[in-house]
Amino acid sequence: MIDSRPIGVFDSGLGGLTVAKEIFRLMPNERIIYLGDTARVPYGSKSEETIRRFGLQDARVLKDMDVKLLIAACNTVSSVAMDYLQEHIKDIPVIGVVLPGARAAALRSAEKRVGVIGTAATIRSGSYARAINNIDPGIKVYGKPCPLFVPLVEEGLIDSDITRMAVQHYLYEMVDLGVDCLILGCTHYPILMEVIQSTVGNRIQLVDSALWTAKEAQNILQAMGMSAGEDAAGLQASKFLVSDITPNFETVAETLLGTPLPGIEKVPVEELEGKQP
C-alpha cells in the first residue's frame, strides 16, 4: 500500500530541520510539511502551559494539511507536552524526539551512565531520565542545560573559538561524571557534533535524537503500509512554513537541512493561535 500524504514536522524554530534532513536521507521519496514557529521561539524558556498550548497549535496547523504522521521535532514540546498532543490528535500517529533518543542511549551505554544536554525546559522536565529509567532502571542519567548552543548555531558559529569554549564550559562536567553516552537533546545540537565529539573524546558515544526519530518514523510508516511510492518527489515537493522570516533565516535553514530550501511560506501567528480550542 502506498500513502502519498506528507509527513508533518514542527519545531519552535529551525532546529527540527535536522530531523527533516534525516528523513530525506532515510526516505528520499517522502515529502514533508515543516512548520517552524520562528516568531515565538524559543519555547524552552516558557511555562509548561504555554509550551503545551503552542505545541498543540503547531500540531493542528499540520493536521489540517492532511499529514499522515506528525513529528514534534522540538525537544521542549516532546519533553513537556507529548501526552497532551496525543490526547488531542488521535487520527494519526504522533511521535516526539525524546523516546527514540532514550531508547538508543539505553542500548548503547555499557557503563550505565548517560548524559543529556538540552534546553533548560527539557532538562528541568526530566523526560529523558524517565524514558531511560523505564527501559533500564539501573542507568544513571545526568542532565545539563546548554543555553548558549542554539544561538551559536543560529549565528553560524559552528566551528569557532567561542563555540569550543562554550562546549568545554558545559561538557567537561559530563566527562568528569564518567558518562559513556551523551544524548544531544536539542535538534540544533547535531550541527555541533564534531566540536562536541572532539571535546568529550571518542570514549563517549553521541546519540543524535534527530536521527533516531527519523528511524522511528520510517519504522512506523513501513509497519502501517504508509510509505510513499518510488515516484514521489520528496524534498522538491515539500513545503516549509515559518511564522516569521528572520534576517538570517535562509543561511541557518540551509546549515541545518544541509541543502537550500525549495521554498518558504509564512504562516501568521494569528493563524496558529486560531487553532486552540
Side-chain angles (χ1 to χ4, degrees), residues 75-218:
N75 274 270
T76 300
V77 171
S78 296
S79 295
V80 171
M82 281 310 299
D83 290 344
Y84 185 72
L85 291 184
Q86 290 166 343
E87 176 185 341
H88 287 82
I89 307 289
K90 295 183 179 295
D91 301 334
I92 56 174
V94 181
I95 66 172
V97 291
V98 170
L99 190 54
R103 286 197 195 106
L107 289 171
R108 284 159 178 75
S109 180
E111 301 294 328
K112 295 185 180 294
R113 300 174 74 86
V114 174
V116 182
I117 55 176
T119 67
T122 295
I123 301 305
R124 186 172 60 244
S125 75
S127 57
Y128 276 100
R130 285 194 302 274
I132 290 169
N133 290 147
N134 283 338
I135 298 166
D136 185 342
I139 296 177
K140 292 184 178 180
V141 182
Y142 304 92
K144 181 73 175 179
C146 301
L148 287 177
F149 285 4
V150 169
L152 286 169
V153 169
E154 299 217 343
E155 286 295 324
L157 299 171
I158 309 304
D159 185 20
S160 67
D161 289 341
I162 190 170
T163 300
R164 283 188 286 275
M165 290 174 62
V167 172
Q168 291 168 8
H169 170 71
Y170 290 128
L171 298 188
Y172 276 169
E173 179 183 342
M174 288 295 180
V175 177
D176 291 342
L177 287 168
V179 303
D180 65 349
C181 201
L182 182 65
I183 298 174
L184 307 183
C186 174
T187 45
H188 278 76
Y189 294 3
I191 301 301
L192 300 176
M193 187 174 288
E194 288 187 13
V195 177
I196 292 171
Q197 190 75 77
S198 66
T199 300
V200 302
N202 292 329
R203 188 189 67 80
I204 297 178
Q205 295 187 65
L206 302 186
V207 173
D208 177 359
S209 56
L211 167 62
W212 293 100
T213 301
K215 285 183 179 291
E216 177 149 327
Q218 182 181 38

